[in-house]
């Protein structure tokens, strides 16, 4: 009888974890690769520190992020590309995700700009000050340059879509991955349907920006990632096949990023994240 109760409780517990896991599919499936109409998200880690965010700004969803509330960086952001020509915008102000701190309601689902003194209370995400004078920039995970409208570009300026990167690494990533990958997409993909893209990071072993909260310094504040990676998947412009490719850059070296198949990337990420299996497009 007692065992039964324990099993029941365990069952309920895993059920509530699974609900969190399912919310990408429920609330913003549009940003994820589909296979025969089945929504395929990249692997979602189940530890409770990971939160699925459907990024909501000015009344619309613009992309999705799996966020690590303890390391205060994303695991990945997922988004689509649809070949719309859009103008560049100035850098927007950096916003935060209210629902990581508060109970979820319909009134706080939009990302928000806070005053510096209001940010001091943020426990489950990075704030602007954490990066200030750290020697690191807020490296976009979903890049502004891939945004398809002013609003979508502005929506990329949320701290839940950023991870510490040196300016040098940021520039190199733009030149060696963001620009060539977009050219590859334009060369390979059918422009009448969505291209699915995921960009992510792998945390650094023991590399952190120290942060301050409530007057106290936290040494392991914001993790400085070791790797940035990106992958796309689309319908070929020439036939019914799927085109895909991926990149991964080790931030600790001056070497150019590796250009690899999505299958190879999955193998690398499975090792790097130290999980049974990691898969970007299922
Ligand atoms: C990335 O940054 C590290 C540390 O500043 C530097 O040693 C390395 O050369 C950089 N790599 C690239 C490709 O910019
Ligand atoms: C990466 O590899 C793909 C497939 O081999 C190729 O089409 C693409 O041009 C390469 N990208 C770069 C930046 O070298």
């Amino acid at each position: 009888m007692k065992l039964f109760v324990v099993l029941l409780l365990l069952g309920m517990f895993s059920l509530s974890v699974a609900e969190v896991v399912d919310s990408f599919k429920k609330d913003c499936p549009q940003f994820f690769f589909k296979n025969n109409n089945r929504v395929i998200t990249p692997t979602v880690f189940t530890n409770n520190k990971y939160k699925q965010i459907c990024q909501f700004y000015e009344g619309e969803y613009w992309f999705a992020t799996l966020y690590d509330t303890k390391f205060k960086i994303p695991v990945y952001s997922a988004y689509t590309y649809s070949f719309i020509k859009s103008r560049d915008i100035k850098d927007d102000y950096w916003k935060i995700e209210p629902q990581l701190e508060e109970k979820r309601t319909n009134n706080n689902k939009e990302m928000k700009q806070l005053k510096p003194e209001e940010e001091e209370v943020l426990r489950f995400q990075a704030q602007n000050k954490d990066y200030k004078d750290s020697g690191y920039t807020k490296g976009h995970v979903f890049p502004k340059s891939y945004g398809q409208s002013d609003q979508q570009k502005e929506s990329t300026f949320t701290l839940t879509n950023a991870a510490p990167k040196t300016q040098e690494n940021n520039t190199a990533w733009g030149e060696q991955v963001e620009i060539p990958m977009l050219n590859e997409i334009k060369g390979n993909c059918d422009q009448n349907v969505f291209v699915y893209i995921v960009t992510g990071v792998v945390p650094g072993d023991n590399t952190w920006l120290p942060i301050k909260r409530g007057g106290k310094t936290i040494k392991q504040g914001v993790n400085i990632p070791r790797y940035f990676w990106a992958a796309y998947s689309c319908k070929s412009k020439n036939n019914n096949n799927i085109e895909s490719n991926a990149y991964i850059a080790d931030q600790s070296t001056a070497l150019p990023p590796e250009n690899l198949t999505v299958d190879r990337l999955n193998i690398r990420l499975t090792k790097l994240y130290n999980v049974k299996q990691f898969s970007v497009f299922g």
Side-chain angles (χ1 to χ4, degrees):
M1 181 61 186
K2 265 187 191 149
L3 184 64
F4 175 74
V5 172
V6 169
L7 287 176
L8 196 70
L9 284 173
L10 281 174
M12 278 160 62
F13 180 69
S14 57
L15 200 70
S16 68
V17 171
E19 262 170 19
V20 178
V21 168
D22 278 348
S23 80
F24 273 155
K25 290 188 185 172
K26 193 170 122 258
D27 295 326
C28 52
Q30 63 268 41
F31 304 117
F32 297 98
F33 180 70
K34 317 283 183 306
N35 190 356
N36 289 326
N37 288 329
R38 221 158 44 88
V39 179
I40 314 276
T41 71
T43 304
V44 175
F45 302 138
T46 49
N47 185 307
N48 208 34
K49 72 171 182 161
Y50 299 105
K51 299 294 176 197
Q52 296 171 57
I53 305 173
C54 295
Q55 300 280 10
F56 195 77
Y57 173 68
E58 301 208 331
E60 275 183 64
Y61 291 112
W62 297 106
F63 63 105
T65 301
L66 182 68
Y67 190 70
D68 182 335
T69 57
K70 201 159 166 231
F71 284 21
K72 300 184 170 58
I73 50 172
V75 180
Y76 53 75
S77 287
Y79 46 98
T80 57
Y81 185 78
S82 53
F83 303 93
I84 294 168
K85 277 223 173 69
S86 61
R87 58 179 195 147
D88 194 17
I89 61 156
K90 283 219 187 78
D91 284 3
D92 204 44
Y93 54 83
W94 284 89
K95 299 165 280 291
I96 60 98
E97 176 53 52
Q99 292 192 336
L100 290 178
E101 312 289 328
E102 306 161 10
K103 198 165 175 292
R104 278 192 241 173
T105 72
N106 242 344
N107 291 331
N108 67 4
K109 72 175 185 181
E110 175 137 351
M111 58 176 81
K112 196 173 162 190
Q113 182 189 22
L114 295 184
K115 302 197 185 86
E117 62 274 17
E118 289 174 323
E119 289 191 331
E120 283 296 333
V121 300
L122 297 177
R123 291 170 56 208
F124 300 109
Q125 59 197 306
Q127 55 158 304
N128 283 292
K129 238 197 203 160
D130 299 337
Y131 285 80
K132 209 169 166 251
D133 304 323
S134 69
Y136 288 83
T137 63
K138 297 175 197 106
H140 273 86
V141 175
F142 171 21
K144 175 182 85 160
S145 59
Y146 281 32
Q148 301 280 273
S149 66
D150 287 8
Q151 278 170 316
Q152 191 179 33
K153 285 172 195 280
E154 286 164 16
S155 78
T156 66
F157 287 81
T158 172
L159 281 143
T160 58
N161 182 49
K165 218 177 195 182
T166 62
Q167 189 55 56
E168 188 190 0
N169 287 177
N170 208 30
T171 306
W173 178 257
E175 288 169 355
Q176 297 171 350
V177 177
E178 284 173 4
I179 294 171
M181 192 170 89
L182 201 54
N183 286 335
E184 219 178 300
I185 285 170
K186 286 174 180 162
N188 293 341
C189 299
D190 181 344
Q191 307 212 352
N192 299 309
V193 287
F194 283 137
V195 179
Y196 295 96
I197 312 178
V198 185
T199 316
V201 311
V202 177
D205 248 348
N206 200 13
T207 48
W208 302 91
L209 300 183
I211 63 172
K212 282 215 167 81
R213 291 292 187 280
K216 286 206 184 87
T217 300
I218 302 164
K219 275 201 192 137
Q220 301 190 344
V222 179
N223 185 272
I224 303 166
R226 170 79 189 264
Y227 298 90
F228 274 69
W229 56 267
Y232 75 88
S233 178
C234 68
K235 185 183 165 297
S236 167
K237 75 183 319 170
N238 303 316
N239 50 47
N240 265 329
N241 296 342
I242 286 182
E243 295 276 358
S244 67
N245 200 33
Y247 294 82
I248 185 165
D250 182 344
Q251 308 292 284
S252 72
T253 76
L255 294 172
E258 230 179 291
N259 179 353
L260 70 182
T261 63
V262 172
D263 284 346
R264 297 293 315 168
L265 179 70
N266 286 340
I267 293 168
R268 289 286 297 281
L269 293 178
T270 297
K271 282 205 194 108
L272 291 170
Y273 288 128
N274 195 17
V275 290
K276 232 195 230 149
Q277 200 198 359
F278 189 92
S279 160
V280 181
F281 298 115

